[in-house]
Amino acid sequence: MSSSKAFMMLLMLSVVSCNLLIMAASSSAGDFYRNIDVTFGDQRAKILDGGKLLTLNLDKTLGSGFRSKKEYLFGRIDIQMKLVPGNSAGTVTTYYLSSEGVTHDEIDFEFLGNSTGNPYTLHTNVFSQGKGEREQQFHLWFDPTKSFHTYSILWNTHRIIFFVDNIPIRVFDNLESIGVPFPKKQPMRIYSSLWNADDWATQGGLVKTDWAQAPFTASYRNLKANACLAGSSSSTCVSTTAEDKAWQNQALDAAGRKRLRWVQNKFMVYNYCSDRKRFPQGFPPECKRSRF
Ligand SMILES: *[C@@H]1O[C@H](CO)[C@@H](O)[C@H](O)[C@H]1NC(C)=O
């Protein structure tokens, strides 16, 4: 090797390692290399753009998924997602918090795909101690496949709030005082997956996945956890500034309640609390508490 070639290589190497150092110092938020593990699908989950972008892919054989390396006990989790474009019928993209085991807690966003031109359904649910059955579903006020939008879960000791682009779409209050179990003891990880569910997902399973369109791709960026790490005895909260800690007592103010009402009146397509056929003996106790 000529000496000038060796020098060039040395120069390139030092530029690369310098970049790596800068990245490590500045990016804990949004670095998928550092913050997540692929749970299934192997190379169908791809980390790109130096850790800033992640794509999940679904082909005829398998989908893919990831989860956070860390476990949290309360927090505010934000992620930006761009959903499978075009004919996404039969596909489901999930983003949720979950603990482990049979009596697990879970806070769900699930995006049910649709045929081209028909709206995605955003399905939400809350499980406490293994029991869910608290579904609310929404259509969105934008096309979630055209660009990235922010989906957030706020989870404190008083309530769980689901946000889309910082607009509250659902609140699940801590109503332990009237006997409704609330998730508060089991640490949760952040999970996401893209998989085939064409036996039920789209128009009740009538519209099947069109494999000629595969692979299907959903994209993620800016995963941010302002959250308390589940520690051995006492938990440590990642947030340091006062602003970062706002989630710990956050409730909806008048403006927030107004926006929630707007979403629930205009975009909610299913609410377990108004499904009389399903609860002939009477609604679960949390349904009796008016939200507004
Ligand atoms: C798909 O589109 C139909 C027709 O607009 C709509 O009724 C349905 O809620 C949409 N979503 C799913 C998941 O079927």
Side-chain angles (χ1 to χ4, degrees), residues 21 23 114 146 170 182 186 205-206 224 228 238 243-244 255-256 271:
L21 273 178
M23 267 174 48
N114 219 331
K146 285 278 185 283
R170 176 174 186 178
F182 185 81
Q186 309 188 69
L206 284 175
K224 189 170 141 207
C228 301
V238 176
E243 196 178 62
D244 278 355
N271 182 2

Side-chain angles (χ1 to χ4, degrees), residues 1-287:
M1 193 188 299
S2 77
S3 67
S4 71
K5 229 177 176 176
F7 176 75
M8 278 305 289
M9 279 191 64
L10 208 70
L11 195 71
M12 274 166 61
L13 269 176
S14 65
V15 168
V16 168
S17 57
C18 207
N19 278 340
L20 283 177
L21 273 178
I22 291 164
M23 267 174 48
S26 65
S27 65
S28 76
D31 183 348
F32 287 112
Y33 283 118
R34 290 191 5 169
N35 297 330
I36 66 104
D37 290 315
V38 172
T39 47
F40 71 102
D42 301 316
Q43 75 294 346
R44 292 177 186 83
K46 296 184 176 61
I47 300 180
L48 306 159
D49 200 7
K52 291 203 203 81
L53 179 70
L54 183 151
T55 63
L56 291 183
N57 291 277
L58 163 69
D59 59 34
K60 199 164 183 183
T61 314
L62 196 62
S64 50
F66 66 87
R67 72 176 195 184
S68 61
K69 289 187 195 283
K70 291 178 180 149
E71 291 186 290
Y72 304 99
L73 194 59
F74 303 116
R76 178 180 170 130
I77 314 293
D78 302 280
I79 196 163
Q80 295 190 318
M81 300 172 64
K82 190 162 81 173
L83 302 178
V84 174
N87 183 1
S88 58
T91 71
V92 172
T93 309
T94 67
Y95 155 51
Y96 59 104
L97 302 183
S98 184
S99 62
E100 287 175 32
V102 183
T103 56
H104 73 294
D105 298 331
E106 189 175 313
I107 305 168
D108 285 325
F109 275 102
E110 291 189 2
F111 300 88
L112 317 183
N114 219 331
S115 39
T116 309
N118 286 312
Y120 260 82
T121 294
L122 168 52
H123 171 102
T124 64
N125 204 354
V126 176
F127 286 71
S128 345
Q129 295 158 32
K131 187 182 167 296
E133 299 177 3
R134 300 189 179 98
E135 300 86 354
Q136 287 187 354
Q137 296 184 336
F138 306 83
H139 286 163
L140 294 163
W141 49 94
F142 53 84
D143 180 347
T145 73
K146 285 278 185 283
S147 52
F148 283 92
H149 291 268
T150 306
Y151 303 93
S152 315
I153 297 171
L154 182 145
W155 172 37
N156 63 30
T157 53
H158 311 291
R159 63 194 61 83
I160 292 161
I161 310 179
F162 296 76
F163 294 94
V164 173
D165 288 335
N166 223 20
I167 295 175
I169 63 160
R170 176 174 186 178
V171 179
F172 183 80
D173 282 317
N174 182 342
L175 293 174
E176 286 179 307
S177 58
I178 58 165
V180 183
F182 185 81
K184 66 168 194 199
K185 294 216 172 83
Q186 309 188 69
M188 306 212 235
R189 279 195 167 84
I190 306 160
Y191 288 83
S192 184
S193 57
L194 171 58
W195 49 290
N196 177 44
D198 67 0
D199 50 335
W200 60 270
T202 305
Q203 299 178 38
L206 284 175
V207 187
K208 301 297 179 191
T209 304
D210 176 10
W211 293 112
Q213 309 297 316
F216 300 96
T217 305
S219 309
Y220 300 77
R221 63 184 197 196
N222 289 329
L223 172 62
K224 189 170 141 207
N226 254 335
C228 301
L229 288 177
S232 40
S233 53
S234 64
S235 56
T236 337
C237 299
V238 176
S239 8
T240 45
T241 66
E243 196 178 62
D244 278 355
K245 282 189 178 143
W247 64 266
Q248 293 185 357
N249 285 300
Q250 193 169 334
L252 296 186
D253 57 9
R257 287 193 297 275
K258 195 172 163 206
R259 302 185 108 186
L260 177 67
R261 238 175 356 244
W262 173 73
V263 173
Q264 299 218 333
N265 290 336
K266 290 229 152 67
F267 300 98
M268 188 188 270
V269 294
Y270 178 81
N271 182 2
Y272 74 114
C273 281
S274 41
D275 189 346
R276 291 187 188 284
K277 269 186 275 165
R278 194 168 155 194
F279 299 104
Q281 325 286 357
F283 290 115
E286 70 272 18
C287 294

